[in-house]
Amino acid sequence: MLAGLIFATEDADDRAGVLAATLPFGGLTLIEFQARLLASAGASQIILVVARMTPELLGAISRIGRRGVAVDAVRTAIEAVEKLHPLARVLVVADGVVTTGDVVQSLAAAGQDTLLVTDQDDRHYERVGANAAWAGLALLDGNRIAEVAAMPRDYDFQSTLLRAAAQAGADQVRLDSHMAPGHGIERNAQALARRGNGTVAALVARPLRWADRFLFSPLVRLALPPLMTRAVPTMAALALALALAIAAVATIALGHPAIGMAVACVALLGGKIGASLAWVRDEGPLVRFTDYAVPAMAALAVSVVGYAADRPAGLILAVVLLIAAALLERAAPAEHQRRLWASPVAYPLVMLPLLIAGQPLVALASAGLYAAVTLAAAIEAFREKP
């Protein structure tokens, strides 16, 4: 199994008495960001090495635990050994490390003890040789922790662990140049704030299906940093999305389906932004709400287009589309999805050009056919890979 060991012992450079690990970082604290990277890399247990407990640190520990990983706080190597699983491989994160998921996941895949090193000259980096400095990440066998636990307790845990790993012959992997700009050790509050929003926004998952991946996801990543910088509440983004959805429905009902569907697409984008803000901030109930709210907004817009078109043909086409779309979401687990498959946000996009051309029935039929073809592909994929 994989465990994480995060050091949180140093004070911030510009805030006396405040642990650097609890400084704000993109709507989170730095230690929560580090824990997310470890959990994404497969860590099922996280050990926090702390010098003292603070209210901010207690809150961060509680929020980390809600993500489904076991979290323990220790002060010494002896306590760490007692908490670690005896067969665990340990991903070590130095105090104040800012990095990317790609770096952490590539290190987690290493087959033996590995130190990530760099040739950068920074006072926060500890030297491990004449031409290399430790970049703050390592993958080590649990026995290295036990070796440190057997040493005098007044030794610095982090530095001693680094020396023990280096002397045991751990591989030294140099940080790739293209990953270096996103990696560093930082304990300055202002510098972390500048780096945090963009870095955390990059954690937002890239969906597979085309409409989410190539249209909505890039716009969400673009919008998140300024929203997090201004501390815009998640509820504000969701309220705006719902207001736009209501405006879209009213516009379609008043006989302007193309304009209404365009507004609906903007509402869906707002819903996606709200969902991402909720995910970043660990607002579980709001995440679950958006899981239903975004498809519901798309379904409502489609339904009103069908009602406002020639009846009963428009209503029939709308109902067929909604049934096929609902069945598709039930039959399309993430591991079976394909890039060109339909999704709830794709139907308004497919319909919009035909609505602009004044063909609501053709728009409904095209979206319904798209949903039906994707549903058939999903069923076949499920049959091939049960």
Side-chain angles (χ1 to χ4, degrees):
M1 65 168 289
L2 183 66
L5 185 71
I6 303 176
F7 286 89
T9 57
E10 300 292 332
D11 283 353
D13 293 341
D14 54 348
R15 292 190 183 180
V18 177
L19 290 172
T22 62
L23 289 173
F25 188 80
L28 313 170
T29 58
L30 178 58
I31 198 168
E32 289 175 77
F33 169 73
Q34 294 168 334
R36 277 197 173 187
L37 293 181
L38 293 177
S40 298
S44 56
Q45 178 186 24
I46 294 178
I47 307 294
L48 309 179
V49 182
V50 302
R52 63 184 185 278
M53 297 301 296
T54 65
E56 296 83 5
L57 187 57
L58 285 170
I61 291 173
S62 175
R63 290 188 293 272
I64 293 169
R66 291 202 296 264
R67 299 192 63 80
V69 296
V71 185
D72 295 286
V74 303
R75 286 183 169 83
T76 66
I78 295 174
E79 295 177 6
V81 170
E82 292 173 351
K83 297 292 185 180
L84 279 171
H85 190 282
L87 300 179
R89 299 165 69 236
V90 184
L91 246 174
V92 181
V93 180
D95 203 315
V97 165
V98 178
T99 189
T100 66
D102 291 340
V103 174
V104 174
Q105 290 178 17
S106 64
L107 186 62
Q112 55 189 349
D113 284 8
T114 304
L115 300 175
L116 187 69
V117 299
T118 180
D119 55 4
Q120 294 184 34
D121 186 14
D122 188 297
R123 64 186 180 88
H124 292 311
Y125 289 141
E126 297 187 60
R127 306 298 300 184
V128 289
N131 300 314
W134 185 41
L137 293 175
L139 180 70
L140 303 176
D141 188 274
N143 291 330
R144 300 286 86 78
I145 315 295
E147 292 173 7
V148 176
M151 297 180 182
R153 295 188 62 171
D154 58 349
Y155 284 16
D156 180 80
F157 187 176
Q158 179 176 299
S159 296
T160 306
L161 180 60
L162 173 61
R163 306 304 164 197
Q167 292 172 9
D171 284 350
Q172 294 187 9
V173 175
R174 195 163 295 274
L175 183 67
D176 288 345
S177 58
H178 70 280
M179 294 181 176
H183 184 94
I185 296 178
E186 186 59 70
R187 302 193 185 105
N188 181 281
Q190 293 183 354
L192 279 172
R194 287 193 299 269
R195 298 181 64 165
N197 293 329
T199 303
V200 172
L203 285 178
V204 177
R206 290 181 172 86
L208 179 61
R209 289 185 275 185
W210 68 271
D212 301 82
R213 185 179 183 89
F214 296 114
L215 295 178
F216 285 89
S217 185
L219 293 173
V220 168
R221 290 169 185 274
L222 188 65
L224 280 184
L227 292 176
M228 291 189 292
T229 298
R230 294 169 175 78
V232 174
T234 305
M235 281 301 302
L238 292 177
L240 178 59
L242 292 174
L244 287 171
I246 293 172
V249 169
T251 303
I252 295 170
L254 291 173
H256 305 286
I259 297 174
M261 192 59 76
V263 175
C265 291
V266 178
L268 292 173
L269 175 61
K272 289 287 186 179
I273 291 173
S276 297
L277 283 172
W279 181 85
V280 164
R281 294 165 175 167
D282 277 330
E283 296 169 332
L286 290 180
V287 172
R288 290 188 290 274
F289 171 75
T290 57
D291 287 342
Y292 296 98
V294 171
M297 286 189 287
L300 188 58
V302 167
S303 300
V304 178
V305 169
Y307 180 82
D310 296 335
R311 289 190 292 271
L315 279 176
I316 293 173
L317 289 172
V319 170
V320 170
L321 167 57
L322 294 178
I323 292 174
L327 291 175
L328 171 61
E329 295 309 303
R330 293 285 295 173
E335 62 272 17
H336 294 161
Q337 292 180 12
R338 301 292 184 270
R339 181 68 50 80
L340 296 179
W341 282 12
S343 65
V345 297
Y347 306 119
L349 294 172
V350 169
M351 293 175 62
L352 183 57
L354 293 169
L355 291 175
I356 294 173
Q359 300 294 328
L361 292 180
V362 178
L364 289 166
S366 298
L369 180 61
Y370 185 27
V373 170
T374 306
L375 175 60
I379 293 172
E380 288 302 315
F382 184 77
R383 292 180 61 189
E384 292 172 4
K385 302 177 181 180

